Amino acid sequence: MLVKIDGITNKEFSKDNNLFLKFLRENTCSGKVTPEVEVFKGAELSRETFHWVMSTFDTDRDFEKVDQVGWDLKNYLSNPVVLWSHDYSIPAIGVAKNVKADMSLEGDIVFNDKDFDEFGWSIGQRVKAGVLSCGSVGFRVDEVEFLDAADRECDLIFRKQELLEFSICCVPSNPFANVKLTKSQKKGSPLSFYDRICAGLQARA
């Protein structure tokens, strides 16, 4: 974070949020900041992460299951793209980190910054606001098991598959592939004094 007071960069405020918060409290009257304060948030601060359950072993809307033990993540981990609705024609809107497959396939989604990808950033804002909460995996099938019993739970089970991409979408095949928002990320969560001040400053900029 870079902080400028009356056009002059204050390195101490940039390093210590508590010091900056103290300054704002001492120089704010009825919600208005008296000096000219400019706040520039860098990529590390602006790129919020969202933990996502990307796939489960539940029967999906296509009457299929995906075996979570069968995920091949090797290639995906070297190119962990997050797309919008499986659209390969536009650049990725973010990346996935800490992707692991155990009882379910999960990872942390990081959306692109607004300064170079307003669309990708806006999808992240919709996720944060609760407007979008679902995702969908794109994969290459390596091994499948067909179920023929009359009382079967589904038609088939994908036993081995290579993860190609993960997409944010409106209506997924697997309704259990959802984002898990933290308490502070949930819509309507109270903002701290520091966040409210910064939001107000950015809105007036």
Side-chain angles (χ1 to χ4, degrees), residues 60-161:
D60 61 28
R61 293 184 171 106
D62 297 315
F63 214 48
E64 300 166 346
K65 283 187 174 186
V66 180
D67 190 341
Q68 300 303 294
V69 179
W71 282 111
D72 178 359
L73 304 176
K74 182 180 178 181
N75 290 329
Y76 181 74
L77 293 179
S78 65
N79 183 43
V81 292
V82 175
L83 306 182
W84 167 248
S85 201
H86 304 296
D87 190 345
Y88 284 50
S89 68
I90 62 174
I93 62 172
V95 295
K97 297 183 177 181
N98 307 315
V99 179
K100 296 179 181 178
D102 190 8
M103 298 296 292
S104 60
L105 179 67
E106 300 188 21
D108 297 322
I109 306 304
V110 184
F111 293 97
N112 293 339
D113 288 330
K114 185 178 182 181
D115 59 355
F116 71 90
D117 181 12
E118 190 163 355
F119 174 72
W121 172 84
S122 73
I123 298 300
Q125 293 302 296
R126 287 174 173 85
V127 170
K128 187 173 183 179
V131 177
L132 289 171
S133 62
C134 296
S136 177
V137 287
F139 57 91
R140 179 177 62 83
V141 178
D142 290 328
E143 186 177 312
V144 63
E145 176 186 353
F146 292 96
L147 304 180
D148 298 323
D151 59 347
R152 66 187 184 279
E153 201 177 338
C154 60
D155 287 331
L156 59 85
I157 300 175
F158 296 109
R159 287 298 184 186
K160 292 183 180 180
Q161 56 283 329

Side-chain angles (χ1 to χ4, degrees), residues 162-179:
E162 178 189 354
L163 182 62
L164 302 177
E165 50 88 8
F166 178 69
S167 284
I168 310 302
C169 62
C170 294
V171 182
S173 177
N174 184 348
F176 300 99
N178 296 319
V179 66

